[in-house]
Amino acid sequence: MTTTSHLTSAQSDLIAGLPPSFRWGVATSAYQIEGAVRSDGRTASIWDTFCRVPGAVVNGETGDVACDHYHRMPQDVALIQDLGIDTYRFSVAWPRVQPGGRGPANPAGLAFYDRLVDELLGRGVDPWVTLYHWDLPQELEDAGGWPARDTAYRFADYAMLVFDRLSDRVRSWTTLNEPWCSAMLGYAYGAHAPGRRDFTAALQAVHHLLLGHGLATQRMRAAATRPVELGITLNLGTAAAETDSELDRAAARRADGLGLRIYLDPLRHGRYPADVVTDLAARGVELPVRPGDLEIISAPLDLLGVNYYTSHVFSGVDEDGRTEDADGNPVERAVPRGLPTTAMDWEIFPEGLTDLLVRISRDYPGLPIVITESGAAFDDRPDETGFVRDDDRTAYLATHIAAVAAARQAGADVRGYFAWSLLDNFEWAYGYDKRFGIVRVDYDTQARVPKQSALWYGDTARRVRSGGSA
Ligand code: FCB
């Protein structure tokens, strides 16, 4: 057994007390690992385009080769099995399956995922499909992207091409990964593809992403011929006020509104939060809701995917004492807690995960949760054999799994934990600089070497699954 010395005995007991049915997964996404961007009929996505914008990605790096997973898939699946992990969450590249984002399926593109699913099942690993992890076909962006309503319908059509092909073998389906990132990083802040900076467009994107989710969910549910679990994955955290002042509490409320409630309220309660609608109106923004949309968006879900990395504290006052920014909008400043950080400069705050899960269970009851991503980038130092003794990442995983177990004890229905990520990979605007893998990738040779964290994670999964006797 590989142990970690970073856990208190209470945390070790919490992890050991997880039920044998708890799912232990690893997650990846298509553009971050596949490479082969021009193979077998794949067309460009907004990320292929964005990577070529000077200054958009660190060192001008791209996903052209990435981990070359497209050509190394069987070995990568074998690695998952060898580590003792039971679920693999991967995403399907829309421009591989439906080049250009419209029309019939591309048989060669679908065939890759067909082989992947068979390979996983053959090795006893459960496949978990994410339909959209940010790689919108460029042609659909040229036609308006997610701010355009039609994109929601295009997404549902594409979803059905994948569902029709794989749902005889795949039970677990996630429509969208982190619509907040697609909408805000992509359309408001310009940090992710397609690199636009237009707040109104970003809010239109929020609604159309949710609409696309709802349309796809309804159609998949209607077409299912065997039991399926349909869900969506959100990136969430807690938003606390720095002080009890009116301004700080309002800043935290707004952050929670645009970060969490603008997604979960329509998904679960069939309405947008009134305070968010009012805040948006004050900025001259109206969500493009048409009659019937909210019924579609609130189509029944089987589970919620939660991606958790950190949580924030907010102040309504900037460092110079101002309460409005240059555009006249109220200040919402994330204030460091002074905690240790990862290589992303994200504060390590596992308690936030417990609080978040307990809060979701209270405010949105009846929805089983799976942690579909959780993990950390650190500045790994491989030894001469390529082995990385990543005690920092091991501790990160262990304390966050213990935080999940604590939330379960407090009544939250959390059924699994997936480490981000199986492999070091293309970390979006950070390129290959930030390593999140539990398996090291040597980008010169494409060699994979499991890190200490992978060995600990797999051992822990085996032990818990076997009821503590492994
Ligand atoms: C999440 C993304 C994932 C990865 C991690 C670090 O926001 O879903 O692709 O980049 O962050």
Side-chain angles (χ1 to χ4, degrees):
M1 220 330 272
T2 321
T3 54
T4 173
S5 54
H6 303 270
L7 286 178
T8 63
S9 63
Q11 288 170 328
S12 300
D13 290 349
L14 277 168
I15 295 177
L18 286 166
S21 61
F22 193 76
R23 298 176 77 144
W24 297 80
V26 283
T28 63
S29 88
Y31 190 69
Q32 293 179 276
I33 64 165
E34 285 179 358
V37 291
R38 288 175 204 87
S39 301
D40 297 332
R42 181 188 180 279
T43 50
S45 79
I46 53 176
W47 271 96
D48 296 274
T49 308
F50 187 66
C51 287
R52 280 161 177 85
V53 175
V57 176
V58 169
N59 299 327
E61 286 164 342
T62 73
D64 284 7
V65 177
C67 306
D68 195 31
H69 170 74
Y70 194 74
H71 299 116
R72 291 162 199 269
M73 180 270 284
Q75 297 95 294
D76 287 340
V77 172
L79 182 57
I80 298 170
Q81 180 192 33
D82 290 347
L83 290 174
I85 287 156
D86 52 64
T87 304
Y88 178 47
R89 171 179 180 248
F90 60 93
S91 83
V92 173
W94 187 344
R96 244 185 236 298
V97 163
Q98 191 188 36
R102 293 170 201 275
N106 166 31
L110 263 184
F112 172 72
Y113 300 102
D114 204 60
R115 292 197 302 276
L116 170 56
V117 166
D118 284 345
E119 200 73 35
L120 288 163
L121 292 172
R123 291 185 174 275
V125 179
D126 204 15
W128 182 301
V129 170
T130 298
L131 287 162
Y132 184 72
H133 201 126
W134 307 354
D135 40 5
L136 185 71
Q138 181 59 43
E139 291 80 355
L140 294 186
E141 176 57 27
D142 296 341
W146 286 108
R149 187 177 174 89
D150 186 56
T151 303
Y153 293 87
R154 301 283 65 76
F155 172 69
D157 283 354
Y158 149 71
M160 292 312 295
L161 297 178
V162 184
F163 192 80
D164 285 346
R165 179 66 174 260
L166 302 182
S167 63
D168 60 333
R169 285 154 292 156
V170 173
R171 183 185 171 98
S172 305
W173 295 81
T174 295
T175 52
L176 306 176
N177 178 69
E178 303 189 352
W180 180 91
C181 292
S182 298
M184 303 312 289
L185 298 180
Y187 291 95
Y189 307 143
H192 277 187
R196 286 165 64 178
R197 291 172 202 269
D198 177 343
F199 187 70
T200 301
L203 270 297
Q204 291 167 342
V206 168
H207 183 65
H208 296 142
L209 282 153
L210 287 170
L211 182 62
H213 155 81
L215 291 165
T217 301
Q218 287 185 330
R219 287 178 60 183
M220 292 193 289
R221 181 85 64 201
T225 54
R226 61 192 280 277
V228 287
E229 294 176 322
L230 307 180
I232 184 170
T233 278
L234 305 176
N235 53 309
L236 302 175
T238 57
E242 184 184 23
T243 73
D244 214 25
S245 75
E246 186 82 16
L247 283 167
D248 288 357
R249 283 191 287 124
R253 175 190 60 72
R254 285 194 306 275
D256 184 61
L258 279 186
L260 185 147
R261 290 181 291 116
I262 198 172
Y263 300 99
L264 278 172
D265 278 21
L267 286 166
R268 294 302 285 167
H269 302 325
R271 55 173 156 68
Y272 282 108
D275 62 312
V276 172
V277 171
T278 305
D279 290 345
L280 291 175
R283 299 180 69 165
V285 176
E286 197 182 333
L287 292 162
V289 183
R290 295 200 190 160
D293 284 1
L294 286 157
E295 286 72 47
I296 296 168
I297 291 171
S298 57
L301 285 180
D302 303 309
L303 51 87
L304 174 67
V306 170
N307 291 356
Y308 182 82
Y309 290 93
T310 190
S311 283
H312 295 287
V313 173
F314 289 94
S315 167
V317 185
D318 74 11
E319 267 134 351
D320 300 317
R322 283 184 295 250
T323 57
E324 283 189 359
D325 68 15
D327 300 323
N329 297 314
V331 166
E332 210 174 287
R333 179 169 60 99
V335 186
R337 281 187 162 90
L339 295 170
T341 56
T342 67
M344 301 294 282
D345 271 337
W346 296 344
E347 290 194 319
I348 302 172
F349 189 53
E351 297 83 352
L353 179 54
T354 307
D355 293 348
L356 172 72
L357 294 170
V358 171
R359 184 264 179 116
I360 296 172
S361 312
R362 184 195 64 213
D363 292 352
Y364 307 96
L367 190 56
I369 297 169
V370 169
I371 307 302
T372 40
E373 288 179 26
S374 167
F378 288 106
D379 294 323
D380 293 336
R381 293 188 207 297
D383 67 16
E384 58 291 344
T385 68
F387 184 72
V388 178
R389 215 197 133 78
D390 54 344
D391 290 325
D392 39 19
R393 186 175 291 102
T394 309
Y396 185 100
L397 295 176
T399 51
H400 285 75
I401 296 164
V404 169
R408 284 176 51 95
Q409 287 202 342
D413 183 7
V414 192
R415 305 202 175 166
Y417 179 96
F418 302 169
W420 183 271
S421 179
L422 171 65
L423 303 170
D424 290 336
N425 60 45
F426 175 75
E427 179 46 36
W428 309 113
Y430 294 90
Y432 295 95
D433 203 44
K434 305 293 180 203
R435 291 176 176 269
F436 274 90
I438 59 173
V439 173
R440 180 168 179 88
V441 175
D442 177 330
Y443 292 113
D444 294 329
T445 63
Q446 291 292 353
R448 277 78 160 129
V449 182
K451 304 177 192 175
Q452 158 78 20
S453 54
L455 305 180
W456 175 84
Y457 187 65
D459 280 355
T460 305
R462 282 196 184 95
R463 192 162 36 89
V464 173
R465 257 199 316 269
S466 64
S469 55

